[in-house]
Amino acid sequence: MKIKFFSRANCPLCVEGLQTLKLVQEDVLFDIEIIDIEQDDRIHEKYMLMIPVVEKDGDVMQYCHLDYATLMERLGS
């Protein structure tokens, strides 16, 4: 399974969110593709107020304040 993680540089919430996602990754098998929203205008416009964003198969699993329990529930099923 591949998970997309949308973030940008100098975003403390993104650093924290990636740490949380990596904790989930210890219990659920998936790859993380990290995408810098500032490299694509379309993605930047879509997610600039939501980052960090975790997406699976085109569906947003969670955004902004990521938490282990919610991500486990949504990615573990």
Side-chain angles (χ1 to χ4, degrees):
M1 168 171 45
K2 181 171 254 177
I3 299 301
K4 292 183 178 182
F5 180 78
F6 296 90
S7 65
R8 67 173 177 80
N10 302 315
C11 170
L13 198 55
C14 298
V15 171
E16 182 181 316
L18 185 58
Q19 290 173 341
T20 301
L21 187 59
K22 286 183 177 185
L23 285 174
V24 175
Q25 191 180 35
E26 292 177 6
D27 297 320
V28 179
L29 184 61
F30 60 84
D31 294 319
I32 302 170
E33 178 183 358
I34 299 173
I35 300 167
D36 182 349
I37 66 166
E38 294 180 336
Q39 300 302 313
D40 183 311
D41 290 339
R42 182 187 59 80
I43 293 172
H44 185 264
E45 184 176 327
K46 182 176 181 180
Y47 289 135
M48 68 181 173
L49 298 177
M50 298 171 64
I51 59 169
V53 176
V54 175
E55 189 179 274
K56 175 186 169 193
D57 299 327
D59 294 324
V60 174
M61 298 290 105
Q62 193 172 29
Y63 63 93
C64 201
H65 295 281
L66 307 183
D67 70 88
Y68 179 89
T70 301
L71 287 171
M72 264 305 287
E73 179 182 315
R74 294 186 179 168
L75 298 175
S77 54

